[in-house]
């Protein structure tokens, strides 16, 4: 994932410029990172970040996994 304009965005190809971070692609790890306020620390920014885009990406990914099983 990467940050752009205060938004945490998925970067599955790991090709976006700038500082990146890793998160296991599960809802449990995402929720834990949000509770621990890990995203601002990981990206070394002050203040909260909008994680809506990443949340939506993980939800879509979970839905795809359910349909392929």
């Amino acid at each position: 994932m990467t940050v752009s304009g205060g938004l945490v965005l998925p970067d599955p190809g790991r090709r976006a410029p700038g500082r990146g971070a890793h998160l296991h692609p599960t809802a449990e790890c995402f929720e834990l990172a949000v509770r621990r306020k890990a995203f601002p620390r990981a990206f070394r920014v002050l203040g909260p970040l909008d994680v809506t885009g990443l949340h939506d990406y993980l939800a879509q990914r979970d839905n795809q996994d359910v349909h392929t099983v």
Side-chain angles (χ1 to χ4, degrees), residues 8-26:
V8 178
L9 303 171
D11 182 24
R14 295 181 232 152
R15 300 288 182 243
R19 183 168 181 82
H22 176 78
L23 177 74
H24 292 117
T26 64

Side-chain angles (χ1 to χ4, degrees), residues 25-67:
T26 64
E28 294 83 13
C29 288
F30 172 79
E31 291 166 7
L32 182 61
V34 170
R35 274 198 316 265
R36 291 185 175 177
K37 299 178 178 146
F39 294 110
R41 281 195 317 272
F43 293 110
R44 297 182 183 170
V45 297
L46 299 175
L49 293 170
D50 183 356
V51 296
T52 306
L54 181 59
H55 178 266
D56 294 345
Y57 170 79
L58 292 174
Q60 180 182 9
R61 183 182 162 115
D62 284 346
N63 285 340
Q64 288 177 350
D65 288 345
V66 168
H67 289 79

